[in-house]
Every structure is written in structure tokens, then in C-alpha cells.
Amino acid sequence: MKILMILTSHDTLGDTGRKTGFWLEELAAPYYIFKDAGAEITLASPKGGQPPLDPKSNEPDSQTDDTRRFEADDEAKAALASTVKLADVSATDFDTVFYPGGHGPLWDLAEDAISIDLIETTLAAGKPVALVCHAPGVLRHVKTADGRPLVEGKKVTGFANSEEDAVGLTDVVPFLVEDELTAKGGVYSRGPDWGSYVVQDGLLITGQNPGSSAAAARALLDALAA
């Protein structure tokens, strides 16, 4: 079982002067669910090398058993420090793709032609794709084989407008995930703010927020086993 996890390379939170990147729990929780299931994991990012960590995701209030395990795991940290460049990976080499979130993907992966093609190719091959929190926003330009928006008519979730408002970034992000999925014809639903909520529609699995990352990873493993 070969799983590709794709992280952002974007580290700037709009024009706020603050840093962003990927959200640690959304990498760490799925990483260990996959690893403990015996999967071979490859980490990739648009620029390759060390992707930027959203500093807020490693503050005490955001730490979990999985993030602490990751921080103490030399093998995991070495893999993170040397992510493969996205242009150098092929969808045919993997059984599935998982996208952790964080705000960074809204700037780079959402507009990245290589990422868009990789999602389209993976799904066209009958392989599942999972995205959590802000990462469902990277579906905004992904199309079906007949040129329609991928999420059109599909059940999806992602970081809710109320959650974005709660972190004070509604006017900073380039777009709101909930609004964008809805605008593209997605059948958006959500659970309580910060609670675990995952939606699956065929091969597409989406999770609402950081607390949904473990459940999204387990749903992806179930899809692979089906």
C-alpha cells in the first residue's frame, strides 16, 4: 500500500506579516494511521524539501499525542525535511493521495496545475483521494473527464465559514473553502465547529477540520480495502 501525502510550500499568511503552512495534526494523525497499517508513505510538496509548518499548529493548545509522536520521530522528521518535489511524482506509483490542510494550500496547491492533474489522474484511475480541513479548497479547479467541476453534485465538506471566522482570517484567505465548494456545485455539509466530520462520495473523501484528520485517514484506508 503506497500512499502519497501532499503538503503546501506556501508560508505567508496574506499580507499580515504572519507565517502559515501546513497544520501539524493534519499530517501527524493520518501519517501514523497509515504507518501503523503498514503503508509506505511518500511526502511531497510543490517546491520539495522542508515544507513550512504553521507555527500555531505546534503551540501547546494544538498539540496532540500524534503531533508529539511526530516531533519525537527522527525518521518522520527526516522524511518531512526532504519532501519530494511534486513535479517528480507520478500518480501511477501510488494507490491513493491524501492532502493535509493548513491555510497554505489555499495559495499554492489550489492553483497548482501539477496537483490538479494528479487529483484528476488518480480519480480517473479508480483510486480514492482524501483531503482535510482547508485542503478540500484545492479541488476548486479540478475537473471531471467531461470538463465539469469535480465537486459538482458531490457530497463534500471542508473548513467551515464559522471556523474561519473564529480564527479571524475570513478577510485574509484568498477564498473561503465552504463558499468555494458550494459555488462549484458541491453539496456541502458540515458538523459542529471543531468536531470530527467526514464525508465520502464515491472515491472522494473530505474532512472538515483538524479534528477530522484521523477519521478521514481511516475512511481512506477503508476505501482502499473495499
Side-chain angles (χ1 to χ4, degrees):
M1 184 166 54
K2 295 185 176 182
I3 299 179
L4 177 64
M5 300 184 76
I6 300 180
L7 298 154
T8 182
S9 292
H10 184 87
D11 68 353
T12 307
L13 195 57
D15 56 6
T16 63
R18 287 181 280 159
K19 291 297 185 184
T20 190
F22 72 91
W23 197 261
L24 184 55
E25 183 185 6
E26 296 166 29
L27 168 64
Y31 180 89
Y32 287 115
I33 285 171
F34 299 150
K35 188 174 182 62
D36 294 346
E40 181 182 323
I41 303 166
T42 298
L43 304 182
S45 62
K47 294 181 180 178
Q50 176 75 53
L53 172 70
D54 187 319
K56 292 190 74 65
S57 72
N58 207 17
E59 291 179 350
D61 287 349
S62 298
Q63 290 172 357
T64 66
D65 288 344
D66 288 315
T67 66
R68 286 185 285 269
R69 180 179 173 188
F70 197 95
E71 288 289 288
D73 185 336
D74 289 339
E75 182 183 343
K77 288 193 294 183
L80 182 63
S82 56
T83 65
V84 179
K85 196 172 182 180
L86 190 53
D88 294 335
V89 301
S90 171
T92 58
D93 293 335
F94 299 94
D95 298 306
T96 187
V97 183
F98 187 96
Y99 281 76
H103 285 89
L106 299 185
W107 277 274
D108 63 351
L109 289 168
E111 308 300 328
D112 190 296
I114 297 170
S115 173
I116 292 164
D117 180 70
L118 187 113
I119 295 170
E120 292 173 350
T121 301
T122 300
L123 292 170
K127 301 172 184 178
V129 173
L131 315 94
V132 71
C133 198
H134 285 88
V138 311
L139 299 171
R140 70 186 310 210
H141 298 308
V142 179
K143 302 284 201 301
T144 61
D146 59 0
R148 306 294 303 171
L150 172 72
V151 301
E152 187 176 77
K154 278 193 164 55
K155 290 179 278 189
V156 290
T157 190
F159 205 58
N161 288 355
S162 55
E163 292 171 318
E164 200 69 81
D165 188 56
V167 297
L169 295 174
T170 299
D171 297 325
V172 173
V173 292
F175 62 91
L176 295 170
V177 175
E178 177 181 340
D179 285 356
E180 187 67 11
L181 292 172
T182 302
K184 289 292 194 290
V187 183
Y188 179 89
S189 63
R190 47 161 298 172
D193 284 2
W194 315 115
S196 178
Y197 186 76
V198 174
V199 172
Q200 180 168 356
D201 192 324
L203 296 170
L204 185 64
I205 297 163
T206 47
Q208 181 178 323
N209 49 36
S212 309
S213 52
R218 286 191 287 267
L220 185 59
L221 289 182
D222 289 345
L224 283 171

